[in-house]
Amino acid sequence: MQAIWIYPIIFVILFFPINVILEIIISDKKGYFTFTVNFLPIVGGYCEIKNFGIAIHLSDKKAFKLRWNDVLKQKGSINKLKGLSLYSLKSCLISSIKNEAEALTVSAFVFLREIIAPILHSKMPYLKIKNDVVIIDESRVSFIGQIKLWINVFYLLSLGVKVILEKVEKWKKKLKAMPKNSLKPQ
């Protein structure tokens, strides 16, 4: 009787998507972020732009420093994460229009919103898009964004197995390429 319940539970665990949420607040040259999985906060902190690059603070005592050269040299592709699908994109720009820079920021955000949102919605009709602009009296600019993604546990497991198999293949090729007498103890 217990085996009857085990199979549906395994199916739900493997094929039910995990909800991954990234929330970002950019204000006063600092960027605050939280990374949440199934409504459980995993990591959060703030980022600062410095002369050398970006400093990511996870707490007051822990900080990671990324140099501009290292950030710009990074190569990669989002296509590797095919099991990851975007399903919600929300943003809000809070600004005034007292000077030219703030007015330009608001107009650029509205322009991008009106161009990119219909393209994304036509390619992904299930995508929930909400982009707002709030104009206030104070002279400041802030941006609040939330990206929600779904990822499948079965896809993560298959990706992990694939990475392990690739590492084993590289290790086997490296082992074959080594001379035979280098394996003998001296």
Side-chain angles (χ1 to χ4, degrees), residues 7 69 74 114 126 132 149 158:
Y7 295 125
N69 293 339
Q74 291 294 323
E114 296 299 322
Y126 56 87
D132 296 325
L149 305 160
S158 65

Side-chain angles (χ1 to χ4, degrees), residues 44-66:
Y46 65 95
C47 300
E48 289 181 309
I49 297 175
K50 302 280 187 176
N51 291 339
F52 62 84
I54 301 171
I56 301 172
H57 297 270
L58 300 178
S59 69
D60 291 335
K61 296 179 182 177
K62 290 184 181 180
F64 298 103
K65 296 178 181 176
L66 300 173

Side-chain angles (χ1 to χ4, degrees), residues 93-147:
L93 180 70
I94 302 167
S95 178
S96 67
I97 50 174
K98 289 186 176 181
N99 60 30
E100 294 84 18
E102 292 170 350
L104 185 63
T105 304
V106 170
S107 60
F109 181 77
V110 171
F111 177 74
L112 286 174
R113 179 186 74 179
E114 296 299 322
I115 297 295
I116 294 174
I119 294 170
L120 285 174
H121 194 66
S122 68
K123 292 192 180 241
M124 299 177 256
Y126 56 87
L127 182 64
K128 299 175 188 173
I129 301 174
K130 182 180 179 187
N131 298 313
D132 296 325
V133 176
V134 177
I135 298 176
I136 57 174
D137 289 338
E138 300 173 19
S139 182
R140 72 179 177 121
V141 177
S142 299
F143 176 77
I144 301 168
Q146 182 188 59
I147 300 170

Side-chain angles (χ1 to χ4, degrees), residues 141-181:
V141 177
S142 299
F143 176 77
I144 301 168
Q146 182 188 59
I147 300 170
K148 289 186 180 180
L149 305 160
W150 274 338
I151 191 161
N152 196 328
V153 177
F154 182 73
Y155 175 75
L156 284 177
L157 291 174
S158 65
L159 186 65
V161 168
K162 180 182 174 188
V163 167
I164 290 170
L165 290 175
E166 287 175 356
K167 298 268 184 191
V168 168
E169 287 294 321
K170 284 182 184 178
W171 181 74
K172 283 183 179 179
K173 287 179 182 177
K174 190 176 182 181
L175 197 60
K176 280 185 179 180
M178 291 176 61
K180 298 224 184 225
N181 56 3

Side-chain angles (χ1 to χ4, degrees), residues 27-83:
S27 176
D28 301 328
K29 295 187 180 180
K30 276 190 180 178
Y32 301 92
F33 66 92
T34 59
F35 184 73
T36 309
V37 176
N38 282 346
F39 306 106
L40 182 70
I42 301 297
V43 70
Y46 65 95
C47 300
E48 289 181 309
I49 297 175
K50 302 280 187 176
N51 291 339
F52 62 84
I54 301 171
I56 301 172
H57 297 270
L58 300 178
S59 69
D60 291 335
K61 296 179 182 177
K62 290 184 181 180
F64 298 103
K65 296 178 181 176
L66 300 173
R67 302 208 178 276
W68 290 118
N69 293 339
D70 298 337
V71 173
L72 296 174
K73 287 181 185 176
Q74 291 294 323
K75 293 182 181 178
S77 172
I78 299 175
N79 294 334
K80 292 179 184 176
L81 300 173
K82 292 180 182 174

